């Protein structure tokens, strides 16, 4: 038995012999400690639950109530067999009712967007033999790991492709020049021969032009110029992009809405390139909803981080497709270029931001651009501009 409990037992056995003032002081101290502990349990970022060995949740903190979407009532108790309790978690907890060892597993819950949690279950031998269950949000770790892997893959692919694209440029130029020379050479041939050869030259010319366009588009998409940052209002850029796409969205039977963040002050970013990102994402959303639907664009900020979320009710992205969407030339569309998201990825990277993608096949996609809000440096007056 732990020290504290031994002490309490001694006190309880001799309660009638102790000075009432001392008892009052002790109870006050105990109450103080208990309410401090309760405050701590409510303030931690983890979800905390206590379960007895019959599957009754005897206590859960506010974070657990929020994530599991269970009532945040004053006496938080609930059975894990209650249908409002998440089925996945209920299954895991049922399996551990008789456990005497610490167990851990990861689960995904929709609360209301998909989050990944690490569930840890530990027996509390000194506390009625109940089980302590903690829920830790692992979503950021999981998506940043995925993003890091994606980044590494995309970067190496891009380096390789940009090198090849550049090298193809030179022979392509030379082919173009020789085709022109060939046209001059055939001028002296008979009309019949000239016609025969000229039509073949035309085919080669048009194919060469096509190749040239592919290469130029690729180099344009991968070229990194320095950012031209300005102290801009993000709401304005997003609204402008939507205004530009509005006719196409209307034609596609898509209801699109921007929720501005009026408390968001201007910060440093490249407005032209963020505009380009917005166009690409709106275009993708449009293409994901061939039968019409809804596009919600939400601008928001928190702790010097601004974000724009593009949430559509489109076809969604299958789990096996998701890891590839930022790769150059990756497309699932007949007429797709596969360069849109790669461009977005590069631009957001250059801004020191990141992209969060949540998608469910047949339900829709939510792509969020996350940007650090850099502020212009305070301009100190130069000696010349100082008033004399
Ligand atoms: P493209 O649009 O030319 O196919 P992108 O790089 O813009 O190229 O997108 C790559 C792929 O990512 C798309 O082909 C599609 O499969 C998927 N994708 C992107 N955005 C969405 C979306 N909003 N909904 C569903 N799928 C999407
Ligand atoms: Mg696209």
């Amino acid at each position: 038995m732990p020290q504290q409990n031994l002490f309490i037992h001694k006190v309880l056995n001799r309660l009638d012999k102790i000075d009432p003032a001392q008892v009052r002081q002790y109870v006050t101290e105990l109450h103080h400690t208990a309410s401090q502990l309760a405050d701590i349990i409510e303030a931690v970022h983890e979800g905390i639950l206590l379960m007895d060995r019959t599957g009754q949740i005897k206590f859960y903190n506010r974070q657990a109530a929020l994530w599991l979407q269970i009532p945040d009532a004053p006496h938080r108790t609930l059975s894990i067999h209650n249908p409002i309790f998440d089925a996945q978690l209920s299954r895991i907890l049922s399996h551990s009712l008789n456990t005497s060892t610490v167990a851990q597993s990861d689960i995904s819950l929709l609360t209301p967007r998909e989050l990944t949690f690490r569930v840890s279950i530990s027996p509390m031998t000194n506390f009625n033999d109940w089980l302590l269950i903690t829920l830790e949000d692992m979503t950021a770790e999981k998506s940043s790991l995925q993003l890091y892997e994606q980044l590494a893959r995309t970067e190496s692919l891009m380096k390789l492709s940009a090198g090849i694209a550049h090298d193809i440029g030179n022979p392509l130029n030379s082919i173009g020049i020789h085709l022109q020379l060939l046209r001059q050479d055939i001028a002296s041939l008979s009309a019949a021969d000239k016609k025969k050869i000229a039509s073949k030259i035309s085919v080669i010319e048009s194919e060469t032009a096509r190749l040239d366009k592919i290469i130029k588009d690729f180099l344009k998409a991968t070229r990194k110029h320095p950012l031209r940052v300005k102290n801009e209002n993000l709401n304005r850029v997003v609204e402008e992009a939507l205004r530009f796409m509005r006719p196409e969205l209307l034609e596609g039977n898509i209801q699109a809405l921007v929720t501005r963040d009026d408390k968001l002050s201007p910060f440093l970013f490249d407005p032209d390139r963020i505009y380009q990102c917005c166009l690409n994402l709106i275009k993708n959303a449009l293409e994901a909803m061939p039968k019409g639907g809804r596009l919600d664009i939400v601008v928001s900020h928190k702790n010097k981080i601004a974000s724009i979320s593009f949430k559509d009710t489109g076809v969604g992205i299958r789990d096996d497709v998701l890891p590839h969407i930022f790769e150059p030339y990756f497309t699932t569309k007949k007429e797709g270029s596969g360069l849109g998201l790669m461009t977005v990825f590069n631009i957001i990277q250059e801004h020191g931001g990141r992209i969060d993608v949540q998608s469910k096949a047949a339900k829709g996609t939510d792509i969020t651009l996350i940007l650090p809000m850099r502020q212009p440096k305070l301009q100190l007056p130069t000696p010349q501009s100082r008033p004399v």
Side-chain angles (χ1 to χ4, degrees):
M1 196 177 284
Q3 287 293 313
Q4 182 98 5
N5 284 2
L6 271 177
F7 177 67
I8 288 282
H9 273 90
K10 267 191 205 159
V11 171
L12 287 178
N13 286 336
R14 303 179 46 220
L15 200 57
D16 45 346
K17 295 185 195 96
I18 307 175
D19 171 17
Q22 251 183 317
V23 174
R24 185 174 301 122
Q25 191 198 345
Y26 187 64
V27 171
T28 313
E29 273 171 23
L30 267 185
H31 175 73
H32 183 66
T33 313
S35 55
Q36 252 180 349
L37 284 177
D39 285 350
I40 293 172
I41 286 172
E42 292 303 337
V44 292
H45 294 299
E46 284 78 31
I48 297 176
L49 304 97
L50 292 176
M51 178 174 75
D52 71 9
R53 295 287 179 164
T54 68
Q56 290 296 317
I57 300 284
K58 306 297 254 186
F59 168 82
Y60 49 92
N61 70 351
R62 215 158 264 145
Q63 188 60 270
L66 184 76
W67 280 338
L68 298 172
Q69 296 184 295
I70 49 183
D72 188 6
H75 301 287
R76 301 185 196 128
T77 57
L78 193 69
S79 160
I80 58 166
H81 307 297
N82 188 317
I84 66 165
F85 202 77
D86 181 80
Q88 218 186 135
L89 187 59
S90 162
R91 223 171 7 254
I92 292 176
L93 296 183
S94 302
H95 282 306
S96 58
L97 281 176
N98 298 317
T99 193
S100 54
T101 52
V102 176
Q104 215 173 48
S105 50
D106 287 355
I107 55 168
S108 293
L109 298 180
L110 280 172
T111 74
R113 67 187 185 102
E114 193 175 324
L115 298 176
T116 302
F117 293 102
R118 175 145 305 157
V119 184
S120 308
I121 305 166
S122 340
M124 302 170 72
T125 36
N126 292 326
F127 198 84
N128 306 333
D129 200 25
W130 286 0
L131 294 161
L132 170 70
I133 299 137
T134 58
L135 297 176
E136 194 185 343
D137 183 1
M138 303 296 287
T139 318
E141 279 80 352
K142 192 179 157 210
S143 61
S144 72
L145 182 71
Q146 272 178 353
L147 201 69
Y148 179 78
E149 285 169 357
Q150 238 164 46
L151 177 83
R153 213 172 25 233
T154 305
E155 288 237 325
S156 59
L157 246 175
M158 294 235 300
K159 270 195 199 131
L160 179 74
S161 325
I164 294 176
H166 191 259
D167 287 349
I168 291 175
N170 292 336
L172 214 53
N173 266 339
S174 156
I175 292 173
I177 292 165
H178 280 85
L179 281 173
Q180 279 175 21
L181 294 175
L182 207 58
R183 274 206 186 276
Q184 287 165 15
D185 288 350
I186 63 170
S188 55
L189 296 181
S190 69
D193 283 347
K194 208 162 37 182
K195 196 173 164 208
K196 223 163 61 187
I197 297 173
S199 73
K200 284 173 189 146
I201 290 180
S202 295
V203 174
I204 301 175
E205 269 173 349
S206 75
E207 289 302 298
T208 313
R210 205 153 71 99
L211 251 180
D212 194 48
K213 185 173 178 320
I214 294 174
I215 303 266
K216 289 223 170 84
D217 283 350
F218 177 77
L219 286 175
K220 200 170 96 194
T222 53
R223 192 179 303 134
K224 293 197 173 176
H225 345 253
L227 291 181
R228 277 191 283 269
V229 296
K230 289 183 192 146
N231 199 30
E232 265 281 356
N233 186 322
L234 189 64
N235 291 305
R236 187 191 66 75
V237 174
V238 175
E239 281 177 335
E240 218 164 82
L242 182 61
R243 196 171 313 128
F244 181 79
M245 291 298 292
R246 184 72 77 184
E248 266 189 79
L249 289 164
L250 277 177
E251 200 172 311
N253 218 358
I254 290 159
Q255 200 190 347
L257 195 82
V258 178
T259 307
R260 291 171 57 95
D261 179 352
D262 286 320
K263 294 213 175 86
L264 175 68
S265 41
F267 65 97
L268 289 179
F269 63 93
D270 185 328
D272 293 341
R273 272 190 242 180
I274 296 300
Y275 176 81
Q276 197 188 346
C277 289
C278 294
L279 286 190
N280 276 326
L281 295 179
I282 298 173
K283 200 157 175 280
N284 278 348
L286 172 82
E287 288 161 355
M289 298 186 278
K291 294 193 193 102
R294 201 186 147 92
L295 170 63
D296 275 299
I297 308 178
V298 180
V299 182
S300 61
H301 82 287
K302 195 178 171 186
N303 303 337
K304 301 279 157 222
I305 304 279
S307 63
I308 326 165
S309 137
F310 297 80
K311 189 171 179 199
D312 66 52
T313 56
V315 293
I317 306 172
R318 288 204 326 254
D319 284 350
D320 57 323
V321 167
L322 196 63
H324 304 289
I325 59 172
F326 294 106
E327 289 170 8
Y329 294 117
F330 178 85
T331 181
T332 53
K333 300 167 194 168
K334 243 189 182 155
E335 302 283 313
S337 72
L339 292 177
L341 284 184
M342 183 203 68
T343 309
V344 174
F345 189 92
N346 284 340
I347 294 173
I348 298 304
Q349 268 268 295
E350 283 179 89
H351 280 82
R354 61 184 182 87
I355 306 173
D356 186 20
V357 185
Q358 307 281 334
S359 190
K360 267 255 169 308
K363 285 243 155 63
T365 303
D366 184 351
I367 300 194
T368 305
L369 305 182
I370 298 159
L371 293 170
M373 293 172 61
R374 300 223 168 87
Q375 296 302 327
K377 290 207 174 62
L378 274 180
Q379 291 272 310
L380 289 175
T382 56
Q384 293 90 329
S385 67
R386 240 179 241 149
V388 250

